[in-house]
Amino acid sequence: MTSWRGLLDSGYRSRLPVSAATPTVSLHEGNTPLLHSPHLSALTGCDVWLKIEGANPTGSFKDRGMTVAVSRAAEAGAELVLCASTGNTSASAAAYAARAGLRSAALVPASGVARGKLAQAARYGAQIVAVPGSFDDCLRVARQLASAPGVALVNSVGNELRLAGQRTVAYEIVDALGSAPDIHCLPVGNGGNITATWEGYVAYGRGLPRIWGFRAASPQTEATAIRIQSPASWEPAVAARDASGGLIESVSDTAIFAAYRELGRHDGVFAEPASAAGVAGLLALHAAGRVAPGQRIVVTLTGNGLKDPDAASDYAVVDVDTFAGSLAG
Ligand SMILES: *Cc1c(COP(=O)(O)O)cnc(C)c1O
C-alpha cells in the first residue's frame, strides 16, 4: 500500500480546480477517520458515525480547501496569503503559505481567538493582525486589503477554490460507507462548510443526505469557531439546507459544552467546542422526538480540542494519597 499524499496527489485531483501546471502545496490533508460511535448510536437508536476533521494536519477541516487555494495562489505568483479568521483559517493558511514559501497575514478579532490557534499561526510564521470588533469586521478589512498587489485572499466566502477542496469530505464519506448517509450533521459558522458538504454529495452522485446544520444560539458563544454574527455564506447555506430537505437550527452553549464533554468521555474524541455543535443538535432533535430510529447519520467534528485548552481547564486534580485511598476502597 502506498502512503497517502493528500487531496491533490492521492485523493481527488481530477475533481479539483487545478491543472497540470498547478504546483501541489500539501501537508497530506484529508483521508481523516470515519469513526463509528457506539455511544451516540445507542442514545439515538441510529447508526452514528463521526468524521474526525481534527485529524487534518493543522487540526481542522480548513486544510481541505487551503491545499487548493494556496496551490493556486502559488501558481498565480502571489507573495502574501491573507485571511480573516476566527482562528482555524489563519492556522491553516499560515501553514500552507509556509509550505509554499509565501508570507502570510491573519486578521483576527482582538479578543476571542482560542490560544492554540494563535500559537499555530505564530509558529507557522504568520503576521497576526488584531482587528477591533468581531470576525465580521475582520472580513470587511480583509476585503479592503485584498486588492493590494501580490495579495491572495483565501477566505471561503465566494472562494470556489476553498469550497471545491472542502467538498472532498463528502467523497471520503461515500467511499467509506458505500453510499451517502441518511442525515449529515455539522456546525455552521459562516456557512461555507455546509454548502461545500452538500455540493460534494451532489457532485459525487451516490446518494444525498438531508443536511442538518447547527449554529450557536448566543452571538457571544464560547464556541469561538462559530462566533459569527452574520454568516457570510448564508444564501448558499440556506439553499443547501432546502435542496437537501434539511434544517439549520440553533443550539445553546450549555448543549454544545455538554456534547463536547460527552464526546471526550464516551467516544475518546477531543473535539473543539464548536465541533460539538453537530452532536449537540442531533441530541436536541432526538430529545424532541424528531429523529426517526434506524437511520445512518454522519456528524462532522470540525476541529481538534487541543486548539482551545482554556475551554478544557475546569478539571479536578487530586493528591496521590486521596487517589490511593480511593483504590483501597
Ligand atoms: C470554520 C469552522 C467552523 C464553521 O465553518 P463555516 O464554513 O464557517 O460554516 C466550524 N467549526 C470549526 C472548528 C471551524 O474551524
Side-chain angles (χ1 to χ4, degrees):
M1 193 180 115
T2 55
S3 64
W4 178 259
R5 286 180 297 122
L7 294 173
L8 285 169
D9 286 354
S10 286
Y12 304 98
R13 190 179 188 103
S14 64
R15 294 180 174 272
L16 295 169
V18 293
S19 71
T22 311
T24 295
V25 180
S26 174
L27 292 159
H28 296 192
E29 61 293 315
N31 196 25
T32 56
L34 182 66
L35 199 62
H36 189 249
S37 171
H39 176 67
L40 292 170
S41 298
L43 273 182
T44 58
C46 289
D47 186 26
V48 181
W49 298 78
L50 304 170
K51 184 65 170 162
I52 314 293
E53 291 292 278
N56 275 298
T58 79
S60 84
F61 74 85
K62 301 298 199 295
D63 294 344
R64 292 183 183 276
M66 211 55 79
T67 184
V68 182
V70 176
S71 293
R72 288 284 302 273
E75 181 182 7
E79 286 158 20
L80 176 89
V81 172
L82 177 72
C83 66
S85 177
T86 60
N88 281 334
T89 298
S90 62
S92 185
Y96 284 82
R99 192 81 195 163
L102 305 177
R103 290 189 298 130
S104 69
L107 304 176
V108 298
S111 70
V113 178
R115 264 198 304 145
K117 302 177 188 180
L118 285 178
Q120 288 182 288
R123 287 291 80 80
Y124 295 136
Q127 178 140 40
I128 300 171
V129 185
V131 177
S134 65
F135 169 83
D136 308 63
D137 299 299
C138 296
L139 186 58
R140 191 170 36 75
V141 175
R143 282 171 160 157
Q144 284 161 7
L145 298 177
S147 56
V151 173
L153 181 66
V154 295
N155 279 100
S156 62
V157 186
N159 187 331
E160 183 50 32
L161 304 177
R162 288 272 313 277
L163 295 180
Q166 288 177 205
R167 279 180 206 135
T168 57
V169 74
Y171 310 160
E172 289 180 11
I173 290 165
V174 169
D175 284 344
L177 295 177
S179 62
D182 299 305
I183 297 170
H184 188 130
C185 299
L186 77 173
V188 174
N190 275 304
N193 205 35
I194 186 174
T195 305
T197 299
W198 169 247
E199 290 175 351
Y201 285 112
V202 172
Y204 221 45
R206 285 162 63 188
L208 299 172
R210 280 176 288 151
I211 306 272
W212 289 2
F214 299 96
R215 300 187 65 202
S218 162
Q220 284 308 318
T221 176
E222 293 300 322
T224 51
I226 54 172
R227 188 186 283 176
I228 305 287
Q229 267 126 49
S230 37
S233 301
W234 185 242
E235 275 181 35
V238 166
R241 174 196 70 188
D242 294 345
S244 80
L247 53 83
I248 299 177
E249 296 194 0
S250 295
V251 282
S252 69
D253 269 26
T254 306
I256 290 174
F257 276 84
Y260 164 78
R261 289 159 180 278
E262 285 211 18
L263 277 168
R265 171 115 176 65
H266 295 289
D267 286 296
V269 178
F270 186 25
E272 71 172 279
S275 297
V279 173
L282 173 62
L283 294 178
L285 290 183
H286 174 258
R290 294 166 63 193
V291 182
Q295 302 189 85
R296 192 162 60 174
I297 301 177
V298 171
V299 187
T300 307
L301 301 181
T302 44
N304 193 304
L306 290 169
K307 286 169 168 285
D308 193 353
D310 296 318
S313 58
D314 60 328
Y315 47 81
V317 178
V318 298
D319 64 58
V320 74
D321 291 339
T322 308
F323 176 63
S326 75
L327 295 181

